[in-house]
Short mmCIF file of all heavy atoms in Angstrom, two decimals:
data_model
loop_
_atom_site.label_atom_id
_atom_site.label_comp_id
_atom_site.label_asym_id
_atom_site.label_seq_id
_atom_site.Cartn_x
_atom_site.Cartn_y
_atom_site.Cartn_z
N ILE O 373 0.88 -1.15 0.00
CA ILE O 373 0.00 0.00 0.00
C ILE O 373 0.92 1.21 0.00
O ILE O 373 1.92 1.25 0.72
CB ILE O 373 -0.96 0.01 1.22
CG1 ILE O 373 -1.90 1.21 1.14
CG2 ILE O 373 -0.21 -0.03 2.54
CD1 ILE O 373 -3.04 1.16 2.16
N THR O 374 0.63 2.18 -0.87
CA THR O 374 1.50 3.34 -1.01
C THR O 374 0.72 4.61 -0.74
O THR O 374 -0.43 4.75 -1.17
CB THR O 374 2.14 3.39 -2.41
OG1 THR O 374 1.12 3.21 -3.41
CG2 THR O 374 3.18 2.30 -2.57
N PHE O 375 1.36 5.53 -0.03
CA PHE O 375 0.73 6.79 0.37
C PHE O 375 1.46 7.95 -0.30
O PHE O 375 2.70 7.97 -0.36
CB PHE O 375 0.79 6.95 1.89
CG PHE O 375 0.14 5.82 2.64
CD1 PHE O 375 0.90 4.72 3.06
CD2 PHE O 375 -1.22 5.84 2.93
CE1 PHE O 375 0.30 3.67 3.75
CE2 PHE O 375 -1.81 4.80 3.61
CZ PHE O 375 -1.05 3.71 4.02
N TYR O 376 0.70 8.92 -0.78
CA TYR O 376 1.24 10.07 -1.49
C TYR O 376 0.74 11.33 -0.80
O TYR O 376 -0.46 11.63 -0.84
CB TYR O 376 0.82 10.03 -2.97
CG TYR O 376 1.17 8.71 -3.61
CD1 TYR O 376 0.29 7.63 -3.52
CD2 TYR O 376 2.38 8.53 -4.26
CE1 TYR O 376 0.61 6.40 -4.07
CE2 TYR O 376 2.72 7.30 -4.81
CZ TYR O 376 1.82 6.23 -4.71
OH TYR O 376 2.15 5.02 -5.24
N ASP O 377 1.64 12.03 -0.16
CA ASP O 377 1.28 13.19 0.67
C ASP O 377 2.01 14.42 0.14
O ASP O 377 3.17 14.66 0.45
CB ASP O 377 1.67 12.93 2.12
CG ASP O 377 1.24 14.06 3.06
OD1 ASP O 377 0.47 14.93 2.61
OD2 ASP O 377 1.67 14.05 4.22
N GLY O 378 1.31 15.18 -0.70
CA GLY O 378 1.90 16.40 -1.25
C GLY O 378 3.09 16.14 -2.15
O GLY O 378 4.06 16.91 -2.15
N VAL O 379 3.04 15.07 -2.94
CA VAL O 379 4.14 14.75 -3.85
C VAL O 379 4.09 15.71 -5.04
O VAL O 379 3.05 15.84 -5.70
CB VAL O 379 4.03 13.29 -4.35
CG1 VAL O 379 5.20 12.97 -5.28
CG2 VAL O 379 4.00 12.33 -3.16
N LYS O 380 5.20 16.37 -5.32
CA LYS O 380 5.22 17.39 -6.36
C LYS O 380 6.04 16.92 -7.56
O LYS O 380 7.16 16.42 -7.41
CB LYS O 380 5.79 18.69 -5.81
CG LYS O 380 4.92 19.28 -4.70
CD LYS O 380 5.47 20.59 -4.16
CE LYS O 380 4.59 21.14 -3.04
NZ LYS O 380 5.11 22.42 -2.49
N ILE O 381 5.45 17.10 -8.75
CA ILE O 381 6.13 16.74 -9.99
C ILE O 381 5.88 17.83 -11.02
O ILE O 381 4.86 18.51 -10.97
CB ILE O 381 5.64 15.38 -10.54
CG1 ILE O 381 4.12 15.39 -10.72
CG2 ILE O 381 6.10 14.22 -9.67
CD1 ILE O 381 3.60 14.19 -11.49
N PRO O 382 6.80 18.00 -11.97
CA PRO O 382 6.57 18.99 -13.03
C PRO O 382 5.53 18.48 -14.02
O PRO O 382 5.28 17.27 -14.12
CB PRO O 382 7.94 19.12 -13.68
CG PRO O 382 8.63 17.82 -13.40
CD PRO O 382 8.13 17.38 -12.05
N ASP O 383 4.95 19.37 -14.77
CA ASP O 383 3.93 18.99 -15.75
C ASP O 383 4.52 18.10 -16.84
O ASP O 383 3.80 17.32 -17.48
CB ASP O 383 3.31 20.25 -16.38
CG ASP O 383 2.15 19.92 -17.30
OD1 ASP O 383 1.18 19.30 -16.82
OD2 ASP O 383 2.24 20.24 -18.50
N SER O 384 5.82 18.19 -17.05
CA SER O 384 6.47 17.36 -18.08
C SER O 384 6.44 15.88 -17.72
O SER O 384 6.75 15.03 -18.57
CB SER O 384 7.91 17.82 -18.29
OG SER O 384 8.62 17.81 -17.06
N TRP O 385 6.06 15.54 -16.48
CA TRP O 385 5.97 14.13 -16.07
C TRP O 385 4.53 13.62 -16.18
O TRP O 385 4.20 12.55 -15.68
CB TRP O 385 6.51 13.96 -14.65
CG TRP O 385 8.02 14.05 -14.65
CD1 TRP O 385 8.78 15.08 -15.11
CD2 TRP O 385 8.94 13.04 -14.21
NE1 TRP O 385 10.11 14.81 -14.97
CE2 TRP O 385 10.24 13.56 -14.41
CE3 TRP O 385 8.79 11.79 -13.65
CZ2 TRP O 385 11.39 12.84 -14.08
CZ3 TRP O 385 9.93 11.07 -13.31
CH2 TRP O 385 11.21 11.59 -13.53
N ARG O 386 3.70 14.38 -16.87
CA ARG O 386 2.34 13.94 -17.18
C ARG O 386 2.37 13.14 -18.48
O ARG O 386 3.11 13.46 -19.41
CB ARG O 386 1.43 15.15 -17.31
CG ARG O 386 0.06 14.85 -17.90
CD ARG O 386 -0.86 16.07 -17.81
NE ARG O 386 -0.28 17.29 -18.32
CZ ARG O 386 -0.27 17.66 -19.60
NH1 ARG O 386 -0.81 16.86 -20.51
NH2 ARG O 386 0.27 18.80 -19.97
N LEU O 387 1.51 12.10 -18.56
CA LEU O 387 1.39 11.30 -19.77
C LEU O 387 0.06 11.61 -20.44
O LEU O 387 -1.00 11.39 -19.86
CB LEU O 387 1.44 9.80 -19.45
CG LEU O 387 2.80 9.21 -19.04
CD1 LEU O 387 2.63 7.75 -18.67
CD2 LEU O 387 3.80 9.35 -20.17
N GLY O 388 0.09 12.10 -21.65
CA GLY O 388 -1.13 12.39 -22.37
C GLY O 388 -1.80 13.67 -21.91
O GLY O 388 -1.25 14.46 -21.13
N GLU O 389 -3.03 13.85 -22.39
CA GLU O 389 -3.76 15.07 -22.10
C GLU O 389 -4.33 15.05 -20.68
O GLU O 389 -4.61 13.98 -20.11
CB GLU O 389 -4.91 15.23 -23.10
CG GLU O 389 -4.46 15.35 -24.55
CD GLU O 389 -3.65 16.61 -24.79
OE1 GLU O 389 -3.94 17.63 -24.13
OE2 GLU O 389 -2.73 16.57 -25.63
N VAL O 390 -4.54 16.24 -20.13
CA VAL O 390 -5.26 16.35 -18.85
C VAL O 390 -6.68 15.84 -19.05
O VAL O 390 -7.35 16.18 -20.04
CB VAL O 390 -5.27 17.82 -18.37
CG1 VAL O 390 -6.12 17.95 -17.10
CG2 VAL O 390 -3.86 18.31 -18.12
N ASP O 391 -7.13 15.03 -18.15
CA ASP O 391 -8.44 14.36 -18.19
C ASP O 391 -8.52 13.32 -19.31
O ASP O 391 -9.59 12.81 -19.63
CB ASP O 391 -9.59 15.35 -18.37
CG ASP O 391 -9.73 16.30 -17.18
OD1 ASP O 391 -9.13 16.01 -16.11
OD2 ASP O 391 -10.43 17.32 -17.31
N GLY O 392 -7.37 12.99 -19.91
CA GLY O 392 -7.35 11.99 -20.99
C GLY O 392 -6.69 10.69 -20.57
O GLY O 392 -6.13 9.97 -21.41
N GLY O 393 -6.77 10.37 -19.28
CA GLY O 393 -6.07 9.19 -18.77
C GLY O 393 -6.56 7.87 -19.33
O GLY O 393 -5.79 6.93 -19.48
N VAL O 394 -7.85 7.80 -19.66
CA VAL O 394 -8.39 6.55 -20.18
C VAL O 394 -7.76 6.23 -21.54
O VAL O 394 -7.38 5.08 -21.81
CB VAL O 394 -9.92 6.62 -20.30
CG1 VAL O 394 -10.46 5.40 -21.02
CG2 VAL O 394 -10.54 6.71 -18.91
N ARG O 395 -7.62 7.23 -22.38
CA ARG O 395 -6.99 7.01 -23.70
C ARG O 395 -5.53 6.61 -23.50
O ARG O 395 -5.01 5.73 -24.20
CB ARG O 395 -7.09 8.29 -24.54
CG ARG O 395 -6.42 8.17 -25.90
CD ARG O 395 -6.72 9.38 -26.77
NE ARG O 395 -6.03 9.29 -28.04
CZ ARG O 395 -4.82 9.80 -28.27
NH1 ARG O 395 -4.19 10.45 -27.30
NH2 ARG O 395 -4.24 9.68 -29.45
N THR O 396 -4.86 7.27 -22.58
CA THR O 396 -3.46 6.93 -22.31
C THR O 396 -3.33 5.51 -21.80
O THR O 396 -2.45 4.75 -22.21
CB THR O 396 -2.87 7.91 -21.28
OG1 THR O 396 -3.12 9.25 -21.71
CG2 THR O 396 -1.38 7.71 -21.12
N MET O 397 -4.23 5.14 -20.89
CA MET O 397 -4.17 3.82 -20.29
C MET O 397 -4.46 2.71 -21.30
O MET O 397 -4.05 1.57 -21.12
CB MET O 397 -5.18 3.73 -19.14
CG MET O 397 -5.07 2.46 -18.31
SD MET O 397 -6.01 2.58 -16.76
CE MET O 397 -7.64 2.95 -17.36
N SER O 398 -5.16 3.04 -22.37
CA SER O 398 -5.51 2.02 -23.35
C SER O 398 -4.28 1.37 -23.95
O SER O 398 -4.31 0.19 -24.34
CB SER O 398 -6.38 2.62 -24.46
OG SER O 398 -5.65 3.58 -25.21
N ALA O 399 -3.18 2.11 -24.03
CA ALA O 399 -1.95 1.53 -24.57
C ALA O 399 -1.46 0.39 -23.68
O ALA O 399 -1.00 -0.65 -24.16
CB ALA O 399 -0.87 2.60 -24.68
N ALA O 400 -1.58 0.59 -22.35
CA ALA O 400 -1.17 -0.45 -21.42
C ALA O 400 -2.15 -1.60 -21.42
O ALA O 400 -1.75 -2.78 -21.40
CB ALA O 400 -1.04 0.12 -20.02
N LEU O 401 -3.44 -1.30 -21.44
CA LEU O 401 -4.44 -2.37 -21.41
C LEU O 401 -4.37 -3.24 -22.65
O LEU O 401 -4.61 -4.44 -22.59
CB LEU O 401 -5.84 -1.76 -21.27
CG LEU O 401 -6.12 -1.06 -19.94
CD1 LEU O 401 -7.51 -0.44 -19.96
CD2 LEU O 401 -5.99 -2.02 -18.78
N GLU O 402 -4.00 -2.63 -23.79
CA GLU O 402 -3.87 -3.41 -25.02
C GLU O 402 -2.80 -4.47 -24.85
O GLU O 402 -2.95 -5.62 -25.27
CB GLU O 402 -3.53 -2.50 -26.19
CG GLU O 402 -3.42 -3.23 -27.52
CD GLU O 402 -3.06 -2.30 -28.66
OE1 GLU O 402 -3.06 -1.08 -28.45
OE2 GLU O 402 -2.76 -2.81 -29.75
N LEU O 403 -1.68 -4.10 -24.22
CA LEU O 403 -0.62 -5.06 -23.98
C LEU O 403 -1.04 -6.08 -22.93
O LEU O 403 -0.77 -7.28 -23.06
CB LEU O 403 0.64 -4.33 -23.50
CG LEU O 403 1.37 -3.48 -24.54
CD1 LEU O 403 2.45 -2.65 -23.87
CD2 LEU O 403 1.98 -4.36 -25.62
N GLU O 404 -1.72 -5.62 -21.88
CA GLU O 404 -2.07 -6.47 -20.77
C GLU O 404 -3.10 -7.53 -21.16
O GLU O 404 -3.10 -8.64 -20.65
CB GLU O 404 -2.62 -5.61 -19.63
CG GLU O 404 -2.55 -6.26 -18.27
CD GLU O 404 -2.79 -5.27 -17.14
OE1 GLU O 404 -3.41 -4.21 -17.39
OE2 GLU O 404 -2.37 -5.54 -16.02
N HIS O 405 -4.00 -7.18 -22.09
CA HIS O 405 -5.08 -8.08 -22.47
C HIS O 405 -4.83 -8.77 -23.81
O HIS O 405 -5.74 -9.37 -24.37
CB HIS O 405 -6.40 -7.30 -22.54
CG HIS O 405 -6.84 -6.78 -21.21
ND1 HIS O 405 -7.48 -5.58 -21.07
CD2 HIS O 405 -6.70 -7.29 -19.96
CE1 HIS O 405 -7.74 -5.36 -19.78
NE2 HIS O 405 -7.27 -6.39 -19.10
N ARG O 406 -3.60 -8.69 -24.32
CA ARG O 406 -3.31 -9.24 -25.64
C ARG O 406 -3.37 -10.76 -25.64
O ARG O 406 -3.69 -11.38 -26.63
CB ARG O 406 -1.95 -8.74 -26.12
CG ARG O 406 -1.56 -9.23 -27.50
CD ARG O 406 -0.31 -8.54 -27.99
NE ARG O 406 -0.55 -7.13 -28.22
CZ ARG O 406 0.41 -6.27 -28.56
NH1 ARG O 406 1.65 -6.68 -28.68
NH2 ARG O 406 0.12 -4.99 -28.75
N GLY O 407 -3.03 -11.36 -24.56
CA GLY O 407 -3.03 -12.83 -24.53
C GLY O 407 -2.30 -13.33 -23.31
O GLY O 407 -2.32 -12.71 -22.26
N GLY O 408 -1.64 -14.46 -23.48
CA GLY O 408 -0.93 -15.03 -22.36
C GLY O 408 -1.85 -15.85 -21.50
O GLY O 408 -3.00 -16.12 -21.84
N GLY O 409 -1.35 -16.26 -20.39
CA GLY O 409 -2.12 -17.10 -19.50
C GLY O 409 -1.19 -17.77 -18.50
O GLY O 409 -0.04 -17.35 -18.33
N PHE O 410 -1.67 -18.82 -17.90
CA PHE O 410 -0.92 -19.44 -16.82
C PHE O 410 -0.73 -20.93 -17.05
O PHE O 410 -0.63 -21.72 -16.11
CB PHE O 410 -1.65 -19.17 -15.49
CG PHE O 410 -1.81 -17.70 -15.22
CD1 PHE O 410 -2.97 -17.03 -15.59
CD2 PHE O 410 -0.78 -16.98 -14.65
CE1 PHE O 410 -3.10 -15.67 -15.38
CE2 PHE O 410 -0.90 -15.62 -14.43
CZ PHE O 410 -2.06 -14.96 -14.79
N ALA O 411 -0.66 -21.32 -18.33
CA ALA O 411 -0.50 -22.74 -18.65
C ALA O 411 0.80 -23.29 -18.11
O ALA O 411 0.85 -24.45 -17.65
CB ALA O 411 -0.59 -22.94 -20.16
N LYS O 412 1.89 -22.53 -18.16
CA LYS O 412 3.18 -23.03 -17.69
C LYS O 412 3.16 -23.29 -16.19
O LYS O 412 3.65 -24.32 -15.72
CB LYS O 412 4.29 -22.03 -18.04
CG LYS O 412 4.55 -21.89 -19.53
CD LYS O 412 5.11 -23.16 -20.11
CE LYS O 412 5.39 -22.99 -21.59
NZ LYS O 412 5.88 -24.24 -22.23
N ALA O 413 2.60 -22.35 -15.42
CA ALA O 413 2.50 -22.55 -13.98
C ALA O 413 1.58 -23.71 -13.65
O ALA O 413 1.83 -24.50 -12.72
CB ALA O 413 2.00 -21.26 -13.31
N HIS O 414 0.51 -23.85 -14.41
CA HIS O 414 -0.45 -24.94 -14.26
C HIS O 414 0.25 -26.28 -14.50
O HIS O 414 0.10 -27.24 -13.72
CB HIS O 414 -1.58 -24.72 -15.26
CG HIS O 414 -2.80 -25.52 -15.01
ND1 HIS O 414 -4.01 -25.22 -15.60
CD2 HIS O 414 -3.04 -26.63 -14.27
CE1 HIS O 414 -4.92 -26.10 -15.22
NE2 HIS O 414 -4.35 -26.97 -14.42
N ALA O 415 1.02 -26.36 -15.59
CA ALA O 415 1.72 -27.60 -15.93
C ALA O 415 2.75 -27.96 -14.86
O ALA O 415 2.92 -29.14 -14.51
CB ALA O 415 2.38 -27.47 -17.29
N ALA O 416 3.45 -26.96 -14.34
CA ALA O 416 4.44 -27.22 -13.29
C ALA O 416 3.77 -27.79 -12.04
O ALA O 416 4.31 -28.67 -11.36
CB ALA O 416 5.19 -25.93 -12.95
N MET O 417 2.57 -27.29 -11.73
CA MET O 417 1.83 -27.82 -10.58
C MET O 417 1.47 -29.29 -10.79
O MET O 417 1.57 -30.11 -9.86
CB MET O 417 0.56 -27.00 -10.36
CG MET O 417 -0.35 -27.53 -9.27
SD MET O 417 -1.91 -26.61 -9.17
CE MET O 417 -2.70 -27.06 -10.72
N ILE O 418 1.05 -29.65 -12.00
CA ILE O 418 0.69 -31.04 -12.28
C ILE O 418 1.90 -31.94 -12.12
O ILE O 418 1.83 -33.02 -11.52
CB ILE O 418 0.10 -31.17 -13.69
CG1 ILE O 418 -1.20 -30.36 -13.79
CG2 ILE O 418 -0.18 -32.62 -14.03
CD1 ILE O 418 -1.72 -30.20 -15.20
N ARG O 419 3.05 -31.52 -12.67
CA ARG O 419 4.27 -32.32 -12.53
C ARG O 419 4.63 -32.50 -11.06
O ARG O 419 5.06 -33.59 -10.63
CB ARG O 419 5.43 -31.65 -13.27
CG ARG O 419 5.28 -31.69 -14.79
CD ARG O 419 6.59 -31.32 -15.47
NE ARG O 419 7.00 -29.95 -15.16
CZ ARG O 419 6.65 -28.88 -15.86
NH1 ARG O 419 5.86 -29.02 -16.93
NH2 ARG O 419 7.07 -27.69 -15.53
#
């Protein structure tokens, strides 16, 4: 759990437009939901 109390950053450390976080996040979600799975961990458990 992380706490942020008056953390200050310059505007240059913003990603994308103000209030446009959903569009920015879509780049990450596209990678996160592209595929993959847990077959290898599953197979190791069976062995």
Side-chain angles (χ1 to χ4, degrees):
I373 183 169
T374 49
F375 303 92
Y376 307 86
D377 184 11
V379 181
K380 297 181 181 180
I381 55 170
D383 186 59
S384 55
W385 285 57
R386 169 172 51 84
L387 288 176
E389 299 296 326
V390 176
D391 296 345
V394 172
R395 178 172 177 268
T396 308
M397 188 167 57
S398 65
L401 293 177
E402 182 181 351
L403 290 170
E404 202 167 22
H405 295 145
R406 181 171 293 175
F410 302 94
K412 293 294 181 183
H414 195 164
M417 175 185 68
I418 297 169
R419 291 193 298 270

